[in-house]
Amino acid sequence: PRTLAEVYQRLHQTGPALRYAQEAYALALEAKNELLQANLSRLLAQLHGQRGHYRQAYQLAQEHSRLQQQVFDQEKTRSLADVEARYQSQEKERNIKLLTQRAQLQQLAARQQRTIRDAALVSSVFLLVAIVVVYGRYRSRLHTVNLLNQQKKAIEQQNEEKALLLKEVHHRVKNNLQIVLSLLNT
């Protein structure tokens, strides 16, 4: 009906154009299509103006302005809601990225702490092994020194006994020689 109304308006047949425009307006009201209502109210205002019904034309022009403003406000609200939704989704994506980066940093820090702990543990084990080896060598040397001291004491004792025996032998030889000399003198 709208197209027919526009065609009849171009043909300057305002009666049929007005009738089809009113039918289209009624259908737009049923469909609750405000943009179509706004365009049809403008068309109706033009048609009433052409027929000389200026009061109705004025009212329809005001209706057109009101509907146009309402459609504009709805579009503005919708676009603001879209912008807000995009902003919130971008904000959520940024938050997700930040949280992901924080999680990665925490994982890296935990991995670094494990590495440090493992390195400290390995170095502690090496230090303990080194201490055990050094202590073992110390004990081995101490044992060797003790054995050498014992052997030295044993050798010194043997040397003292030999020296004592040697003195005893010298003394007996001397006595025997004196006895032989006394016998020879006699």
Side-chain angles (χ1 to χ4, degrees), residues 91-102:
E91 190 67 27
K92 285 179 183 177
E93 288 174 7
R94 274 185 283 208
N95 287 339
I96 289 170
K97 285 180 184 178
L98 282 173
L99 290 174
T100 303
Q101 289 174 351
R102 285 181 186 165

Side-chain angles (χ1 to χ4, degrees), residues 26-154:
L27 290 173
L29 281 174
E30 285 179 26
K32 296 182 181 178
N33 187 341
E34 293 176 351
L35 181 62
L36 186 58
Q37 287 176 18
N39 290 334
L40 287 170
S41 63
R42 182 180 45 82
L43 179 64
L44 283 170
Q46 289 172 355
L47 290 172
H48 279 291
Q50 288 173 359
R51 293 196 79 181
H53 304 135
Y54 299 115
R55 185 172 292 207
Q56 284 180 328
Y58 178 72
Q59 289 172 351
L60 286 169
Q62 284 182 334
E63 179 72 13
H64 168 71
S65 295
R66 184 187 64 79
L67 288 170
Q68 196 74 7
Q69 185 63 37
Q70 193 172 351
V71 167
F72 175 74
D73 289 345
Q74 287 175 352
E75 287 179 10
K76 186 169 63 171
T77 303
R78 203 173 304 125
S79 67
L80 283 173
D82 289 344
V83 168
E84 180 70 24
R86 272 188 266 135
Y87 173 76
Q88 287 178 354
S89 67
Q90 288 173 351
E91 190 67 27
K92 285 179 183 177
E93 288 174 7
R94 274 185 283 208
N95 287 339
I96 289 170
K97 285 180 184 178
L98 282 173
L99 290 174
T100 303
Q101 289 174 351
R102 285 181 186 165
Q104 289 173 348
L105 285 174
Q106 287 175 349
Q107 287 174 351
L108 286 174
R111 195 176 305 144
Q112 187 178 18
Q113 287 177 349
R114 280 194 302 265
T115 304
I116 290 171
R117 183 190 66 220
D118 292 347
L121 183 63
V122 168
S123 60
S124 298
V125 167
F126 281 137
L127 183 62
L128 184 62
V129 167
I131 288 172
V132 167
V133 167
V134 168
Y135 182 71
R137 284 189 175 181
Y138 170 74
R139 293 281 297 183
S140 175
R141 271 196 190 162
L142 192 60
H143 182 66
T144 305
V145 167
N146 285 340
L147 283 176
L148 287 174
N149 285 338
Q150 287 175 359
Q151 289 175 355
K152 185 178 176 184
K153 284 181 183 179

